[in-house]
Amino acid sequence: MKFLKPQNIVASVGIKPGQRVADLGCGSGFYVLAAAKIVGNTGRVLAIDVQDAKLTATKSISLQHNLHNVEVYRADLEKPLEESLHGQEDLVIVASILHEVKDREALIKNAYALLKTGGLLLAVDWKVDHSPFGPAMEKRIEEHDLRQILEATGMKHLKDLSGDLYHYAMVFQK
């Protein structure tokens, strides 16, 4: 069974060493590690989550991989992020998090605010197909619905990426 490989997904976005990345709802660092390896010591990855345990796990695993370019930040993604964070990111990752929040638009507004003009957003989420695991079907978001939400913020759809049997992935630009 082919399952998502975060390093392949993040690499296919086209980020480079020295860039800045934020992962909204970073969980245990699935995409953080992949991004941190690509941006290297001259870059920075901001791992944002509401759960302290997830942030602690992300920081711990990044240090185990000798990645010292990961910063953790605790925030409720459904409330506006502080303005000092706005306009800093070359890439914002929104992966498998939309089913976890009640206010998807608030999370998307935060992603948009974090991006530099011309910055990229990587959206990865669960397909609305029956699967042996993953979130409840009624919590998942259709690919075209997510695309409409992102385009309504003013983002431009650049490309679809190869996901897996259970996930889709898309790249947008601010």
Side-chain angles (χ1 to χ4, degrees):
M1 174 179 72
K2 181 180 165 233
F3 200 72
L4 275 180
K5 291 187 170 56
Q7 60 276 16
N8 295 352
I9 297 277
V10 174
S12 64
V13 173
I15 57 169
K16 298 171 181 55
Q19 290 191 310
R20 297 170 66 99
V21 176
D23 184 354
L24 297 186
C26 67
S28 300
F30 198 60
Y31 291 91
V32 170
L33 292 181
K37 288 174 185 171
I38 294 169
V39 300
N41 291 331
T42 58
R44 190 267 295 132
V45 177
L46 184 61
I48 304 175
D49 207 291
V50 71
Q51 297 180 47
D52 289 323
K54 299 288 188 189
L55 295 171
T56 301
T58 296
K59 189 65 175 177
S60 176
I61 197 160
S62 64
L63 293 174
Q64 288 170 31
H65 284 85
N66 204 28
L67 297 167
H68 299 276
N69 57 350
V70 174
E71 296 174 21
V72 296
Y73 185 85
R74 188 179 184 284
D76 180 340
L77 297 171
E78 295 179 78
K79 295 191 170 105
L81 295 173
E82 65 180 69
E83 287 197 27
S84 65
L85 298 173
H86 291 192
Q88 306 267 328
E89 307 305 318
D90 296 293
L91 173 67
V92 171
I93 300 169
V94 177
S96 300
I97 185 68
L98 292 169
H99 65 273
E100 299 268 350
V101 297
K102 290 183 182 79
D103 189 349
R104 292 174 173 163
E105 281 80 9
L107 186 144
I108 297 299
K109 282 180 185 169
N110 277 327
Y112 185 86
L114 290 172
L115 284 169
K116 294 176 177 176
T117 299
L120 303 176
L121 180 133
L122 169 62
V124 181
D125 224 300
W126 291 86
K127 291 179 181 175
V128 183
D129 294 329
H130 290 284
S131 57
F133 43 80
M137 296 301 289
E138 65 274 4
K139 289 188 167 199
R140 299 180 190 198
I141 182 168
E142 291 275 2
E143 189 171 353
H144 69 272
D145 292 342
L146 179 54
R147 183 172 171 168
Q148 283 184 324
I149 292 169
L150 290 167
E151 288 176 338
T153 67
M155 289 199 208
K156 178 183 173 204
H157 178 260
L158 292 184
K159 61 184 174 180
D160 294 321
L161 301 176
S162 180
D164 64 14
L165 287 173
Y166 308 109
H167 299 87
Y168 58 85
M170 302 179 283
V171 179
F172 293 79
Q173 185 173 40
K174 179 175 179 177

